[in-house]
Each structure stands twice: as C-alpha cells, then as structure tokens.
Amino acid sequence: MRSQDVSGEAFPGEVDAWPGAAMAPKGPHPMLLLGLVLLAGWLARLGQGASYPQFLRQHVDNPKTRARDDRRYCNMMMQRRGMARPCKHTNTFIHAPASQLQDICGRGGRHVTRNLYDSNNRYRITICRLSGGSTRPPCNYRGGSSTRRIRVACVGGLPVHYDRNL
C-alpha cells in the first residue's frame, strides 16, 4: 500500500510495500533468538550433569576416612567437604565405589517415582547430624554408622541427589 498525502497522490519515490511486510521478521534477529534458546538449553543440561560431582563431594567417601570415632569423623569430613559454612543440619556419607552408586540409576536400583531410585543393595553409611540448633560455625556433629539401602535422584544415568536411607 502506498503512502498518500491529503490530496490522494502518492509521495514521490515511494514503492508499494508487500502487505505482510510489517509482520515479517527482518534481519538476523530470528536466528540470534534461536541460537540463544539453544545455548540456554545446552547450559541447562550441562548444569544438571554438574550435580554429579557435587553428589560425589557431599556424599561419597570410599574407603571411609579413618577417624577415632563417628563424631570426629563427621566433624572432620563436614569441614573438609565444605559443608560447615554454614553448618549443614544432616549429611550422609556412603562408603562405596562411585561405580556401584551409578548402578543404582540402572540395573542396581528400582525406579520409584519421577527420577528417584531405590538401591537393591545395602551400603555402609555414616550419618552426620548437627548438635545444637545454630548453623553458625564452629559446627559440632554427632555421627552414626549403619548398613542401609538408599534412595537417590538420578539425571542422565548418574546420581545427583541423596534422598534418604531406607
């Protein structure tokens, strides 16, 4: 459609525009948007996988680090693994190879719901619980050891979250 002045004459030098031209995407913007969406998706997937190293740091200690008793073990391990600033209320350490724990997300576990899996096997664990109510350091933990089945959350065939003892 041509632009017209009040007399109905077309302005000189103007060309009829395609009727849908105002709605059509112009320039590289649609491709840039698509690229950003794909990048965001890739980063989200990468972030999910990054939880596996965090799971290992927070929950796996194999073989079990030597300490005089479970209280000293918990105080030492919670500090070493960076869970004492602020003091984490409860944490469970599993004394098994990472490969066995990965297997819970497959044949070594039973799917429960969503991304949660129960282990088929029992594992040696140490549960560390904060003594007292404050999460401000210095942290003081009490500990207890047992052999239990466990429940973990899995993403991409890897455990990324310790859910509970069974």
Side-chain angles (χ1 to χ4, degrees):
M1 178 180 293
R2 283 190 181 176
S3 302
Q4 299 176 342
D5 66 11
V6 286
S7 69
E9 296 285 322
F11 289 119
E14 288 208 333
V15 182
D16 283 338
W18 176 60
M23 301 302 286
K26 295 180 181 176
H29 301 297
M31 293 307 290
L32 179 62
L33 181 60
L34 177 62
L36 289 174
V37 168
L38 292 174
L39 178 63
W42 180 76
L43 289 173
R45 285 188 58 148
L46 182 64
Q48 289 174 344
S51 312
Y52 176 64
Q54 181 179 349
F55 173 83
L56 293 176
R57 178 182 59 81
Q58 288 185 344
H59 299 292
V60 180
D61 181 38
N62 188 64
K64 183 177 180 179
T65 301
R66 294 175 60 129
R68 196 176 293 171
D69 56 40
D70 283 339
R71 183 186 66 78
R72 286 187 175 101
Y73 171 82
C74 287
N75 285 330
M76 175 179 58
M77 290 302 293
M78 295 298 283
Q79 182 75 35
R80 277 188 185 174
R81 300 290 180 96
M83 294 179 280
R85 288 190 181 274
C87 307
K88 187 175 179 182
H89 285 282
T90 303
N91 191 67
T92 301
F93 289 101
I94 311 160
H95 310 297
S99 59
Q100 287 182 18
L101 301 176
Q102 288 176 11
D103 202 35
I104 296 170
C105 301
R107 291 172 289 149
R110 183 177 59 83
H111 182 251
V112 179
T113 182
R114 295 186 199 144
N115 65 339
L116 296 176
Y117 290 79
D118 289 350
S119 68
N120 295 334
N121 298 325
R122 296 163 57 101
Y123 296 97
R124 289 181 41 241
I125 61 172
T126 302
I127 303 169
C128 301
R129 290 188 174 89
L130 184 62
S131 297
S134 174
T135 59
R136 295 177 65 192
C139 311
N140 188 30
Y141 290 92
R142 60 185 195 279
S145 294
S146 63
T147 303
R148 306 282 295 270
R149 291 176 50 235
I150 62 175
R151 177 175 291 167
V152 296
C154 299
V155 173
L158 297 172
V160 296
H161 171 74
Y162 186 92
D163 189 62
R164 68 179 63 158
N165 312 315
L166 302 173

